[in-house]
């Protein structure tokens, strides 16, 4: 059994996008701060939680570094969204090509 929270296992971290990963990191750091504060004041009941949160932070940093190095990758966008994006890109390309032809024709007429 792995130490740490079940919702921050490596498999789940790989499924998160970069902004969500950063949010999870800030939450974990805030929780670690609170746990350390409780430990210093003698109010901490579960000392194992400190270790678990530290390991969660390390997992998040590892996933972020893997993405930075190109070893891991952010989750792919849903297929439906990527299709609509590619259609929009194709439409924009057609529009740009049409504008270039129109400009070239106008330049040709002005030069003649």
């Amino acid at each position: 059994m792995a130490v740490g929270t079940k919702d921050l296992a490596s498999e789940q971290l790989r499924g998160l996008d970069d902004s969500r990963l950063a949010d999870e990191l800030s939450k974990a750091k805030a929780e670690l701060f609170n746990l350390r504060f409780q430990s210093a004041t003698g109010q901490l009941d579960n000392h194992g939680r400190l270790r678990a949160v530290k390991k969660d932070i390390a997992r998040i940093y590892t996933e972020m570094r893997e993405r930075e190095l190109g070893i891991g990758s952010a989750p792919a966008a849903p297929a439906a969204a990527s299709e609509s994006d590619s259609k929009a890109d194709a439409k924009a390309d057609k529009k740009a090509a049409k504008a270039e032809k129109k400009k070239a024709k106008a330049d040709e007429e002005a030069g003649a």
Side-chain angles (χ1 to χ4, degrees):
M1 185 167 125
V3 176
T5 58
K6 292 181 181 178
D7 57 329
L8 286 182
S10 296
E11 295 80 29
Q12 282 84 14
L13 289 175
R14 288 186 189 104
L16 299 177
D17 63 343
D18 292 337
S19 62
R20 180 83 170 119
L21 208 57
D23 289 342
E24 290 296 327
L25 179 62
S26 64
K27 284 182 197 175
K29 283 186 171 187
E31 184 178 358
L32 181 63
F33 174 79
N34 290 331
L35 290 171
R36 283 183 176 160
F37 195 86
Q38 288 175 5
S39 179
T41 59
Q43 298 175 351
L44 186 62
D45 295 330
N46 184 4
H47 294 281
R49 187 74 186 132
L50 275 168
R51 182 177 182 187
V53 173
K54 286 180 184 179
K55 286 187 179 250
D56 287 343
I57 291 172
R59 278 190 203 96
I60 294 170
Y61 274 131
T62 300
E63 182 62 30
M64 292 172 93
R65 182 66 176 156
E66 285 177 353
R67 290 180 186 184
E68 183 180 319
L69 295 174
I71 299 169
S73 61
S82 62
E83 283 181 23
S84 63
D85 290 344
S86 63
K87 286 181 183 178
D89 290 343
K91 199 177 221 183
D93 290 343
K94 281 184 180 180
K95 213 175 204 182
K98 196 173 189 180
E100 284 181 36
K101 283 183 182 179
K102 191 174 184 179
K103 185 180 178 197
K105 188 176 181 181
D107 289 344
E108 185 178 302
E109 288 176 1

